[in-house]
Amino acid sequence: MSTTTAGATRREQILKEAARLFAERGFHGVGVDEIGAAVGISGPGLYRHFAGKDAMLAELLVGISEQLLTGGKRRVAEVEGTPAELLDSLIEGHIDFALDDRPLITLHDRELDRLRDSDRKLVRQLQRQYVELWVEVVRKVYPSLSEADARASVHSVFGLLNSTPHLSRPGALPGRTAMAGLLHRMALGAFASAAS
Amino acid sequence: MSTTTAGATRREQILKEAARLFAERGFHGVGVDEIGAAVGISGPGLYRHFAGKDAMLAELLVGISEQLLTGGKRRVAEVEGTPAELLDSLIEGHIDFALDDRPLITLHDRELDRLRDSDRKLVRQLQRQYVELWVEVVRKVYPSLSEADARASVHSVFGLLNSTPHLSRPGALPGRTAMAGLLHRMALGAFASAAS
DNA sequence: CCGCTCGGTTAATGAGCGTTAACCCATTTC
DNA sequence: GAAATGGGTTAACGCTCATTAACCGAGCGG
C-alpha cells in the first residue's frame, strides 16, 4: 500500500482531472466514463476511490474553500505590518490561487448548487468566513467604507480576480507574472475607488 | 394569431423563465418539464414554440450578446465628448444590464459550451466585438496601456461588473442605485490603476 | 357548417448515464 | 502457500429526460 507515500496518489489524480472536466463542461456535462478515461482507468473503476460522482465534486469544493480560508487566515496571522500590507498579501494569495488553479476557481462559484445540502452549507460557511476576513481588513484600510459597501466591494474584487479563467485565448494576453501584477494593481485601485 | 401584438408573448415568457432556471441550476440541471411548468403549460408543449431545449439556450445567448454589442455600439455612436465620458457611458450601460438581467449575465459566461458549433461561434464573435469595442475606448483614455494589458483589464472589469449575481444575500448589501454607483467607481479605479 | 391551424394534452420511445454486480488478478500478510 | 485485500474489468440494471406520436378543442375564414 502506497497511499500515504508522496505526491500524486490515484485519488488526487482523479480529483485533478475531474476538476478540469467539471470546469470545462459542467458537472452534469461530464460523464463518469470520461473522468475514468482521463486517468487511464475506465468507468466504474472510480467507485473504488469515491462513493460517487457527487462525492468528487463535494471534496473538490470543500477543499477549495478550506484552502482559501486557511491561506487567508495564515496571512492574517503571519503578516506583521500595516493593514495595507496585509491586504496586499491577501490579494497576492488569491491571485496565485486564481492563476494556478483555474479549474477550481471556476467550479467554486459555478457548481455550488449541485451539492448535497450539508456539503453546500459547509462550503457556504467557509466562503462566508473568507469574505468576512477580507471585509475586516478592507475596512481597516478604508475606514470610510460602510460594512455593506465593503462586503460588496470584496465580492466585486473576487469577480475581478477570478475572471482569468475566462481568458482562454492563447497569445493575446500578458504572461503569468505580468498578469499577476496587473490584477494586483487593479484590485487595489478598485478598493481605493470604492472608498470614494 | 397574436404573435406580433405587443409585450409578453408566450415565447418571450418561456425565454424569461428558461433563463432564470438555467441560471439557477445550469442548463443540464433543469428539465424541459420544469420550464413548461414555470409558464403554466407542461412538458412537450414547449415544442410548439421552440425546436428544442438547445434552441432556447441558443436564442438566449445570442440575444444577450447582440444586446450588449448593439448597446455598446449605440453609445459609441451617440456619445459626443471625451473618451473618458464614453467609457463612463459604456460602464453605465453594462452595469444596467448586469443589475437588471442577472440571469442572462450569469448564463452568458457559464453555458457557452453547451451550444451547437455554429451558434457558439456566433456568440463568441459577438462577445469578441464587444470586448474590442471596449478595448479601443480604454486605450484612448489610457494610451500607456499595451493592447494585451488593455484587453486583460477589460475582461477583468467585466468580471467585476458581472459579479453581482453571486450576491444573493438579502439585506447585507447596498440598494440598486448605491450598488450601481459603487460598481462604477470601482471599474474606473481598476482601469486607472491598470495603467500604472 | 366545414376544415384548417394554433397551441395544448398525455403516452410512448429511446438514448445516456450513474450505479451495482460479478468476476479477476497481483501483491502482501500470516 | 493460502487467504485476504486493493484496484481493476465488463455487463447489466434502472432512472431520468429530451424528443416524438397521436390525439384534441377552440377560433376563424370561406
Side-chain angles (χ1 to χ4, degrees):
Chain A
M1 102 108 122
S2 58
T3 311
T4 40
T5 37
T9 136
R10 184 38 70 87
R11 252 185 93 85
E12 296 166 18
Q13 195 185 160
I14 293 172
L15 282 176
K16 189 177 152 196
E17 294 302 310
R20 185 179 55 81
L21 289 167
F22 289 161
E24 278 174 10
R25 296 208 281 288
F27 180 66
H28 292 293
V30 43
V32 84
D33 290 358
E34 269 176 297
I35 305 175
V39 298
I41 75 184
S42 239
L46 296 171
Y47 286 74
R48 300 288 167 197
H49 303 275
F50 294 93
K53 203 180 152 195
D54 306 2
M56 299 182 210
L57 182 65
E59 194 160 328
L60 283 172
L61 291 185
V62 171
I64 311 162
S65 312
E66 279 173 349
Q67 226 179 299
L68 278 174
L69 179 57
T70 61
K73 276 182 175 168
R74 184 171 48 72
R75 288 184 140 82
V76 169
E78 287 180 359
V79 172
E80 40 206 50
T82 67
E85 287 168 345
L86 178 51
L87 183 56
D88 264 340
S89 175
L90 286 180
I91 293 173
E92 186 192 333
H94 195 104
I95 289 176
D96 284 345
F97 198 75
L99 290 180
D100 296 336
D101 293 298
R102 292 178 174 213
L104 291 182
I105 278 288
T106 302
L107 254 51
H108 179 253
D109 57 36
R110 245 180 184 58
E111 310 281 359
L112 185 58
D113 330 320
R114 281 71 174 171
L115 258 52
R116 283 177 22 234
D117 267 29
S118 63
D119 290 322
R120 191 172 54 246
K121 258 190 217 158
L122 172 56
V123 172
R124 279 242 173 80
Q125 183 190 320
L126 292 166
Q127 287 181 343
R128 190 156 10 109
Q129 287 183 65
Y130 185 60
V131 171
E132 291 312 314
L133 185 148
W134 276 64
V135 167
E136 283 180 35
V137 176
V138 167
R139 291 199 74 194
K140 269 192 198 119
V141 181
Y142 300 104
S144 69
L145 271 180
S146 74
E147 173 137 358
D149 280 9
R151 209 187 317 279
S153 68
V154 166
H155 275 282
S156 301
V157 166
F158 285 171
L160 189 154
L161 298 180
N162 295 348
S163 67
T164 31
H166 304 317
L167 313 166
S168 40
R169 224 97 91 290
L173 16 98
R176 140 100 217 203
T177 56
M179 190 70 197
L182 180 65
L183 288 173
H184 200 127
R185 269 178 286 142
M186 292 180 78
L188 285 177
F191 278 132
S193 305
S196 61
Chain B
M1 100 108 121
S2 60
T3 311
T4 40
T5 37
T9 135
R10 183 39 69 87
R11 253 184 91 85
E12 295 167 19
Q13 196 186 160
I14 294 173
L15 282 176
K16 188 176 153 197
E17 294 302 311
R20 186 179 54 81
L21 290 168
F22 288 160
E24 277 173 11
R25 295 208 283 287
F27 179 66
H28 292 292
V30 43
V32 85
D33 290 359
E34 268 176 296
I35 304 175
V39 298
I41 76 184
S42 239
L46 296 171
Y47 285 74
R48 300 288 165 197
H49 303 274
F50 293 93
K53 204 182 152 195
D54 306 2
M56 299 182 210
L57 182 65
E59 194 159 329
L60 283 172
L61 291 185
V62 172
I64 311 160
S65 312
E66 279 174 348
Q67 228 180 298
L68 279 174
L69 179 58
T70 61
K73 277 182 174 168
R74 184 172 48 72
R75 287 183 142 82
V76 170
E78 287 179 359
V79 172
E80 40 206 53
T82 67
E85 285 168 346
L86 177 52
L87 182 57
D88 265 340
S89 176
L90 286 180
I91 292 173
E92 186 191 331
H94 196 104
I95 289 176
D96 285 345
F97 198 75
L99 290 179
D100 296 338
D101 293 297
R102 293 181 174 211
L104 290 183
I105 278 288
T106 303
L107 255 50
H108 179 255
D109 58 36
R110 246 181 183 58
E111 309 280 0
L112 184 57
D113 331 319
R114 281 71 175 170
L115 257 52
R116 281 176 22 234
D117 267 28
S118 64
D119 290 323
R120 192 173 54 246
K121 258 190 219 161
L122 172 57
V123 171
R124 280 242 173 80
Q125 183 190 321
L126 292 166
Q127 287 181 344
R128 193 158 5 113
Q129 287 183 64
Y130 185 59
V131 171
E132 292 311 313
L133 187 149
W134 276 65
V135 167
E136 283 180 35
V137 176
V138 167
R139 292 198 74 192
K140 270 194 199 117
V141 181
Y142 299 104
S144 69
L145 272 180
S146 73
E147 174 138 355
D149 279 10
R151 208 187 319 277
S153 69
V154 166
H155 274 282
S156 301
V157 166
F158 286 170
L160 189 154
L161 297 179
N162 295 348
S163 67
T164 30
H166 304 317
L167 312 165
S168 40
R169 223 96 93 288
L173 18 95
R176 138 102 217 200
T177 57
M179 191 68 199
L182 180 65
L183 288 173
H184 200 126
R185 269 178 285 141
M186 293 180 78
L188 286 177
F191 278 132
S193 305
S196 61

